[in-house]
Amino acid sequence: MNAVRQLGNGVFSMNGREWSLLVACLLAIIIFSVASPHYATSGNAATVLRNSVELLLIGLGMTLLLAMGGIDVSIGIVMGLAAIAIGRVLGADGNPVLALVAGPVVGALLGCVTATVVVLGRVPAIVGTLGLLGVYRTAVFVLLGGQWLSGLPASLTNLLATTVLGVPVPALVIVAAYLAVWLALRRTPYGLHLLAIGNSEEKARLSGIPVIKIRFVTFVISGILTGVAATFYVATYRNVEMTIGSTLALDAIAAVILGGTSILGGKCSLIGTVLGVLLLRILQNGLLLIGVPSLWQPVVTGVLIIGVLGFEAISNRFPVVQLLRARA
Amino acid sequence: MLSQFKKALAVSVLSLVVATAAHAADKHKVAFVPQLIGIPYFNAMEAGGNRAAKDLGVDFIYSGPVDTNPVDQLQIVQNLIDQGVEAISVSVLDASSIAPVVESAKAKGIKLFTSDSDAPDSGRAVYVAQATDEGLGTTIVDELVKRVGEDATIGIVSGEATASNLNAWIGFMQKEAAAKYPKLKLLAPQFAGGTAERAAQISGDLMAANPDIKAIIAVASSTCPGVAQAIETAGKIGSVIGAGYCSPNTARSYLKSGAFGFTVLWDPEQLGYLTVWAGKQLIDGKSFEAENKIAGLDKPVTYDAAKGILLLGPPAVFTKDNVDKFNF
Amino acid sequence: MKTLRNLQGPALTLTLLCGLWLIVILGLLVLKPSVYNLGTVTTILQFSTILALVGLGQGLVILAGGSGIDLSVGGTVSLSAIVGMLGVKLGLPPVLLPVVCILAGAMLGALNGWLVNGLALLPFIATLGTFFVYSGTALAITGGAAQAGVPSWLLLWGRGVAMGIPVPFLTLAIPCFALAGLLLLSTAWGRWIYAMGFNERSARLVGIPVDRVRFILYSLSGALAGAAGLVSLAWLGSGRPNIGQNLELESLTAAMLGGIAITGGRGGVGGVFAAVLLLVTLKTGLLQLNINTVWQVGIVGGLLVFVLLADRLSQRWRS
């Protein structure tokens, strides 16, 4: 039922949590603008958006995984492995077109590996990907062999730094990825099946949904999106270091949870994920601008998770709030 | 790598008879434990150590943790002691990371000493230093003032907040600024952990928060790519210069693009050589002279008997004009 | 019949672990006979202590079901060690250091318990939030600096060795595991924990105080993490604000390797104990053979996947 109701949502239509996140973003922007004269500048806005690109792409994939009751804690290192492939291609002959393909391909392949263990091996996703996290990390070390890929040619950077009709390429890619995932989720049987699996895998199986196929494909989609994120990473930094992506998985999970996707599956919000990523980045940026040391940033992330979800849990208990919500 | 893989396989799967070559038992053994493996800096030290081992006829063991975790480092040191390696050098993450094993090393007659990062008052035999912490801190501030003038704002982006050697350098930067350049405004250090992404994010935020910023110092070598990228994407090449402690190979493309003005470093290969030489010297029971001429090194090495410090020499400054002469 | 089959799970894992452990030991014997002395045993146990304490708490929380998990254990270890040292700096009598560390851990764990019970947040989400808060706070309030000033009598305990066994392992880890084993096997509480892990709804129906048990288990996991923080102080001689780094993942690995089902209700603390020893022995073995440390994470990860797959396959064969 839940899934069917959500099918009616428009591309950018929003529910209660999503409105609160939007209000929180705007409120934060207003407060920071008052507190710091340097906040509301176009340069700073560009900085915030630029720093959200990888997390947005990975977050979209993570949204799908959580919505079907899965998870992937190794996703940051998958980005690292894809980045190594891109870096090697780029370093060999500087051909940016081949490099564009390398990321998504390696991402998809690793998605297949993860899916083989988790889906075909029927191992709980959190533990299975925890094991793979270790394996992938060793692969990163061995492939890099202690040397970073440094000073990569700028051909890929130049290609992705262009604008089409005045819109920067990264923004276009993110909008395209968003629309593609949204369409798959809300306008195809795939999305319906995904949410049904998230609600109850057992019931989904009994009603004839190809559970294994859907779950397998979702891990591959997440891998592809991560590969695209890796492409932007390499284009931006022209450097692949050993610690690449080590904090991304937990950040992505945090953003998706903030956005209102349930980790029990069955409920999912793409626009919520986008707003969750932006809220995290806006707060990290703004707090530094008003002089809070960067070491406090993880604390802010944690307080935000507990605060937002805790507040929702409490407010659900008061009938007045529910009444107001029903009327709205 | 392949033989290591075989060994690893032998342990985990027990193919019983993959007996590896017998150890040359009569050779002395010298070990070096870095703060972290898989970064170019320590890799270069390993290469120097290997060269020294060949020249001096000792076995050289290089082994370090995959995360900057003091317990992992301690475990590695403890196992080297258990193996009876005669001289063990450690680039300590913190003085406490070797404190528990100093006694047991002494009891076994093992020479435990520090290299690259010191633990004073721990009872270590000697400290093999690349340059003094003071020299490193003051050089970078002096060089920056030459380029941006005394009346400037300078940001600092470091790696792990817990790295005691990096914090010591920052301390000397602040001391130098306060003593010699009263008009210079050094911002409070920000910590990016080990990833280039976070370093870029924080540098971008710092530039937005301080529009009058003239320079950013990347303290940990892992933060150099991030700082340089942030300056490039913000379009601030020319108005903000990056500087830091990173190797010519890592910084080359940034020095050429103008995002970096210069980097300060010593030759880690020479430091690795000196470390193994010092270990051999300790095993042989020979004391250090005030000035030591060593065949494998370019310059003589001084020894400060009062502090127990063996000094490689003053740090070198790399700019776009001389960077191509170096390859490490 | 069904319960019988379920009991075979942990037994299978335990056999598997012991087998693997023997393989590691034999492998070492062949490749490097010189490691066989008491010193190696001491080393292995010394580096097992912290992981054993944290893994025990993690295991109990998962065992009690309700999607139980404690991602904040690493942060709790760091923060309770730092709170203890800052307390001493502010004039707290050093004699109270052990109490303060364990109490601080218990309170941080109790906060997790309240978030899970009182606010009905999913454990994964609640403890992911507190993971960020605890580990971040430990770093931010110290600025990353190690906190010195551990009294020397505590160092005597932390670095002491009796009969080849490190004193903290002997006096803290072993008793904790023995008590937990006793609790699980022969008290009503133990049966409650298994029952609520196996099927929470029926556990509630038969009158088991599920919420109270769960709250106490989260507090206990915190207290054990606090004890691990104390061990780190007594051993290293200073409070490190990132000492618990990666412990959430390592303890999870130990609990899963030890045969505790992620859904709860299946497994035991004996398996966790064996898994911790296996993990540390494996690491020690690889170090003794001077195999590059990059292989450690991969081998441990591969081992985890292998054990999980083996468990799955054996279940399929049986049914």
Side-chain angles (χ1 to χ4, degrees):
Chain A
M1 272 314 281
N2 205 359
V4 178
R5 187 165 52 79
Q6 296 212 353
L7 249 182
N9 285 1
V11 183
F12 294 114
S13 66
M14 316 227 286
N15 64 21
R17 167 75 72 82
E18 291 148 1
W19 279 111
S20 349
L21 282 177
L22 186 64
V23 171
C25 285
L26 294 175
L27 213 62
I29 291 175
I30 293 170
I31 292 173
F32 290 137
S33 306
V34 174
S36 161
H38 312 303
Y39 185 79
T41 60
S42 60
N44 191 43
T47 304
V48 173
L49 291 175
R50 163 65 208 93
N51 287 328
S52 310
V53 172
E54 288 94 2
L55 200 57
L56 277 173
L57 288 165
I58 292 177
L60 286 177
M62 192 64 83
T63 310
L64 294 179
L65 286 175
L66 291 185
M68 69 166 191
I71 199 166
D72 189 347
V73 296
S74 70
I75 204 74
I77 314 298
V78 170
M79 189 189 89
L81 286 168
I84 292 173
I86 300 166
R88 288 258 194 269
V89 169
L90 213 51
D93 60 353
N95 182 349
V97 180
L98 210 58
L100 277 183
V101 183
V105 167
V106 172
L109 285 176
L110 289 169
C112 287
V113 174
T114 309
T116 304
V117 170
V118 172
V119 181
L120 301 184
R122 291 165 196 269
V123 169
I126 183 168
V127 209
T129 55
L130 177 66
L132 287 172
L133 171 69
V135 177
Y136 291 160
R137 277 195 72 187
T138 292
V140 168
F141 277 112
V142 173
L143 286 172
L144 287 178
Q147 293 301 332
W148 297 344
L149 304 181
S150 291
L152 295 168
S155 52
L156 186 65
T157 315
N158 297 335
L159 190 69
L160 294 178
T162 48
T163 57
V164 178
L165 304 174
V167 186
V169 169
L172 281 180
V173 172
I174 285 175
V175 170
Y178 180 90
L179 286 177
V181 174
W182 183 88
L183 277 176
L185 198 60
R186 305 295 190 208
R187 293 284 180 270
T188 65
Y190 163 79
L192 202 62
H193 292 168
L194 182 92
L195 291 170
I197 294 170
N199 272 326
S200 163
E201 202 179 319
E202 195 58 38
K203 278 184 202 155
R205 199 191 325 275
L206 291 176
S207 57
I209 291 172
V211 173
I212 293 193
K213 200 165 107 192
I214 300 277
R215 292 187 67 206
F216 199 100
V217 167
T218 308
F219 275 98
V220 177
I221 293 176
S222 167
I224 293 174
L225 287 167
T226 307
V228 178
T231 313
F232 284 109
Y233 186 97
V234 176
T236 314
Y237 300 103
R238 300 209 310 278
N239 191 79
V240 182
E241 71 281 0
M242 174 204 65
T243 47
I244 182 170
S246 49
T247 56
L248 268 177
L250 287 185
D251 282 350
I253 293 168
V256 175
I257 288 173
L258 268 182
T261 297
S262 163
I263 65 163
L264 287 186
K267 199 174 134 213
C268 125
S269 165
L270 290 175
I271 193 84
T273 298
V274 174
L275 289 170
V277 170
L278 289 180
L279 181 58
L280 279 180
R281 290 299 193 223
I282 288 172
L283 283 178
Q284 289 174 345
N285 165 270
L287 287 173
L288 201 111
L289 254 69
I290 62 170
V292 179
S294 51
L295 283 177
W296 286 101
Q297 290 183 1
V299 182
V300 173
T301 308
V303 169
L304 209 58
I305 294 175
I306 296 171
V308 168
L309 282 106
F311 178 76
E312 195 174 70
I314 291 175
S315 64
N316 277 343
R317 283 185 209 163
F318 293 103
V320 187
V321 182
Q322 283 176 338
L323 211 71
L324 280 174
R325 212 175 263 171
R327 208 166 287 169
Chain B
M1 225 48 173
L2 197 70
S3 93
Q4 276 172 354
F5 180 70
K6 273 187 194 158
K7 278 186 183 175
L9 217 65
V11 174
S12 50
V13 195
L14 187 65
S15 35
L16 264 167
V17 217
V18 195
T20 45
H23 290 272
D26 48 344
K27 263 193 188 176
H28 289 304
K29 284 185 191 154
V30 181
F32 172 63
V33 181
Q35 295 184 339
L36 182 69
I37 56 167
I39 64 174
Y41 174 79
F42 285 118
N43 249 42
M45 278 190 74
E46 182 189 9
N50 281 328
R51 184 165 64 91
K54 213 187 247 170
D55 289 358
L56 304 171
V58 296
D59 268 343
F60 176 57
I61 300 169
Y62 172 84
S63 179
V66 292
D67 293 299
T68 50
N69 186 328
V71 176
D72 288 351
Q73 191 180 41
L74 186 62
Q75 189 171 12
I76 291 164
V77 176
Q78 177 72 59
N79 273 293
L80 290 169
I81 292 174
D82 289 351
Q83 282 183 56
V85 174
E86 291 124 303
I88 303 168
S89 52
V90 188
S91 169
V92 297
L93 284 160
D94 185 286
S96 64
S97 40
I98 56 165
V101 295
V102 170
E103 289 307 315
S104 68
K106 269 198 186 135
K108 283 190 155 189
I110 287 167
K111 310 290 180 199
L112 193 61
F113 63 107
T114 53
S115 173
D116 179 62
S117 167
D118 195 15
D121 314 320
S122 64
R124 43 103 174 129
V126 64
Y127 168 43
V128 181
Q130 60 277 54
T132 58
D133 289 343
E134 191 174 357
L136 290 169
T138 53
T139 306
I140 210 156
V141 172
D142 293 344
E143 289 286 329
L144 268 179
V145 167
K146 267 191 225 163
R147 287 166 171 81
V148 300
E150 248 185 81
D151 195 4
T153 304
I154 295 176
I156 300 175
V157 178
S158 185
E160 301 288 346
T162 49
S164 57
N165 56 339
L166 304 186
N167 289 341
W169 302 347
I170 295 173
F172 281 111
M173 286 178 209
Q174 289 162 337
K175 226 182 245 174
E176 174 81 353
K180 269 171 75 179
Y181 312 108
K183 281 198 211 148
L184 192 70
K185 194 172 153 214
L186 269 190
L187 299 172
Q190 305 289 344
F191 298 94
T195 66
E197 248 186 308
R198 288 279 295 148
Q201 195 188 339
I202 287 172
S203 318
D205 294 350
L206 269 182
M207 284 186 279
N210 305 279
D212 58 339
I213 200 166
K214 292 273 177 56
I216 300 178
I217 302 172
V219 183
S221 65
S222 60
T223 53
C224 287
V227 169
Q229 181 277 326
I231 293 173
E232 280 177 12
T233 25
K236 298 234 176 180
I237 290 179
S239 59
V240 178
I241 65 168
Y245 302 101
C246 36
S247 71
N249 281 354
T250 304
R252 183 168 291 123
S253 66
Y254 312 131
L255 287 170
K256 293 200 168 157
S257 77
F260 260 46
F262 64 98
T263 77
V264 176
L265 206 76
W266 47 96
D267 187 341
E269 201 270 352
Q270 302 251 314
L271 185 62
Y273 193 99
L274 181 61
T275 302
V276 172
W277 177 84
K280 176 78 168 37
Q281 209 74 358
L282 287 170
I283 294 173
D284 294 346
K286 290 184 197 154
S287 56
F288 303 111
E289 311 285 330
E291 193 173 285
N292 304 274
K293 283 216 166 76
I294 301 161
L297 295 182
D298 301 341
K299 289 183 199 136
V301 172
T302 56
Y303 180 64
D304 181 339
K307 290 181 188 161
I309 294 180
L310 201 57
L311 196 63
L312 185 65
V317 176
F318 303 103
T319 62
K320 71 173 189 304
D321 301 320
N322 69 358
V323 67
D324 281 331
K325 289 181 202 150
F326 302 92
N327 185 26
F328 62 90
Chain C
M1 204 48 215
K2 196 166 185 188
T3 45
L4 201 72
R5 194 193 303 161
N6 276 314
L7 273 178
Q8 280 169 353
L12 174 92
T13 323
L14 210 58
T15 331
L16 207 63
L17 285 184
C18 289
L20 283 169
W21 196 64
L22 273 179
I23 288 173
V24 173
I25 302 261
L26 281 174
L28 258 178
L29 184 67
V30 172
L31 292 173
K32 188 148 190 169
S34 64
V35 298
Y36 282 85
N37 58 55
L38 201 60
T40 311
V41 177
T42 312
T43 302
I44 290 174
L45 296 182
Q46 184 88 65
F47 285 93
S48 302
T49 312
I50 289 178
L51 183 58
L53 290 169
V54 175
L56 176 62
Q58 181 77 270
L60 288 174
V61 164
I62 297 176
L63 199 58
S67 320
I69 196 167
D70 190 349
L71 294 176
S72 74
V73 280
T76 309
V77 174
S78 306
L79 190 52
S80 48
I82 292 300
V83 165
M85 291 316 295
L86 287 181
V88 171
K89 216 166 246 182
L90 291 175
L92 186 93
V95 188
L96 291 178
L97 198 53
V99 184
V100 172
C101 284
I102 295 174
L103 205 65
M107 281 165 68
L108 296 174
L111 177 61
N112 286 332
W114 178 72
L115 290 172
V116 169
N117 271 344
L119 288 188
L121 291 185
L122 281 167
F124 184 90
I125 294 177
T127 58
L128 179 68
T130 51
F131 155 78
F132 281 118
V133 175
Y134 297 168
S135 52
T137 306
L139 269 173
I141 55 176
T142 56
Q147 306 294 308
V150 176
S152 52
W153 54 265
L154 197 59
L155 290 178
L156 221 57
W157 174 74
R159 294 179 190 171
V161 175
M163 297 171 296
I165 301 174
V167 175
F169 190 82
L170 197 66
T171 56
L172 206 56
I174 291 181
C176 283
F177 268 91
L179 280 177
L182 217 64
L183 174 92
L184 282 182
L185 289 180
S186 54
T187 66
W189 276 76
R191 286 191 290 278
W192 290 350
I193 291 172
Y194 277 110
M196 61 193 264
F198 191 70
N199 188 334
E200 183 163 335
R201 196 182 290 173
S202 30
R204 277 183 202 278
L205 285 176
V206 296
I208 294 171
V210 169
D211 287 340
R212 187 146 48 100
V213 174
R214 184 157 291 144
F215 180 79
I216 288 175
L217 285 179
Y218 276 101
S219 311
L220 189 65
S221 170
L224 285 165
L230 176 68
V231 172
S232 83
L233 288 181
W235 183 31
L236 297 174
S238 65
R240 296 252 334 181
N242 68 342
I243 193 73
Q245 197 186 350
N246 287 344
L247 268 179
E248 56 283 339
L249 296 184
E250 279 183 35
S251 65
L252 199 57
T253 307
M256 292 300 109
L257 262 184
I260 291 185
I262 188 80
T263 47
R266 199 165 70 97
V269 293
V272 179
F273 192 73
V276 169
L277 288 186
L278 173 71
L279 285 175
V280 181
T281 311
L282 189 66
K283 266 194 190 179
T284 306
L286 294 173
L287 284 174
Q288 290 284 344
L289 296 173
N290 291 319
I291 288 167
N292 197 329
T293 42
V294 304
W295 295 101
Q296 281 180 10
V297 276
I299 290 175
V300 169
L303 197 65
L304 182 59
V305 172
F306 168 72
V307 168
L308 289 167
L309 286 176
D311 191 38
R312 277 286 145 184
L313 283 178
S314 76
Q315 276 182 8
R316 203 181 292 173
W317 285 334
R318 239 179 278 129
S319 60

